[in-house]
């Protein structure tokens, strides 16, 4: 395994974890009766970060 391929796999894994954490946060805060907006902002941040990391991994794989 070469270094760029390993980096792309690591970035993809972190993106997947971030997406999962964002969706779980969203589901847990929607099922509970929390009136605040902060958990939803955190979930949105995690989901957007995960999407960005997955796009970065796809670009890294494409340039190899």
């Amino acid at each position: 395994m070469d270094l760029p391929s390993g980096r792309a796999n690591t970035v993809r894994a972190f993106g997947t974890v971030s997406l999962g954490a964002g969706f779980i946060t969203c589901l847990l805060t929607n099922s509970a009766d929390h009136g605040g907006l902060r958990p939803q902002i955190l979930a949105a941040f995690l989901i957007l970060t995960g999407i960005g990391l997955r796009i970065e991994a796809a670009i890294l794989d494409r340039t190899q």
Side-chain angles (χ1 to χ4, degrees), residues 3-64:
L3 188 60
S5 176
R7 182 172 184 266
N9 290 337
T10 303
V11 171
R12 185 177 297 111
F14 278 124
T16 302
V17 169
S18 180
L19 278 170
F23 285 127
I24 288 172
T25 302
C26 186
L27 289 174
L28 290 177
T29 57
N30 281 339
S31 64
D33 191 22
H34 295 294
L37 186 61
R38 289 184 183 167
Q40 296 297 326
I41 293 172
L42 174 65
F45 178 73
L46 286 170
I47 291 170
L48 290 174
T49 302
I51 290 171
L53 288 172
R54 298 283 300 198
I55 290 172
E56 180 183 353
I59 291 171
L60 285 173
D61 271 348
R62 181 88 172 153
T63 58
Q64 293 179 11

